[in-house]
Amino acid sequence: MILDARPIDQRTRNGFIPGSVPIDENSFNDIANRYAGHKEIVIYCSCPNEITAARYAEKLRKVGLKRIRPLVGGIDAWAQSGQQVTFL
């Protein structure tokens, strides 16, 4: 499971990892309940040092998710490695 911690306007403007699910400050409990059964969850953003992704990962741990980690380098590293980015 891949979560996108960027604002919706960034998903629209800069694209997103295919299949990723947007997350924001108001969706932690819903996300934790919906994806609790997943073996591993990766969360990404586009900020320096994955600050938002790391902060969200910590909040999701507090509401019950166990294996969650930020994507090092965020969406920029994903795209630079040749992985697909989808646009609406």
Side-chain angles (χ1 to χ4, degrees):
M1 169 53 35
I2 302 175
L3 302 175
D4 185 341
R6 300 171 305 144
I8 295 296
D9 66 314
Q10 284 190 22
R11 281 178 64 89
T12 302
R13 188 174 56 247
N14 302 323
F16 54 93
I17 295 174
S20 63
V21 174
I23 183 174
D24 62 28
E25 293 279 348
N26 299 313
S27 61
F28 295 127
N29 287 323
D30 180 51
I31 293 287
N33 290 332
R34 186 176 298 168
Y35 302 109
H38 286 265
K39 291 183 180 179
E40 186 165 13
I41 298 173
V42 175
I43 185 168
Y44 71 92
C45 60
S46 58
C47 36
N49 301 315
E50 297 77 46
I51 292 172
T52 300
R55 187 169 47 100
Y56 281 17
E58 184 58 31
K59 288 183 178 186
L60 287 167
R61 280 186 200 97
K62 288 180 180 178
V63 294
L65 292 178
K66 301 295 180 209
R67 295 198 52 166
I68 182 164
R69 63 183 174 86
L71 176 64
V72 175
I75 192 159
D76 296 330
W78 177 270
Q80 289 171 356
S81 72
Q83 300 299 318
Q84 184 180 1
V85 175
T86 299
F87 290 85
L88 294 176

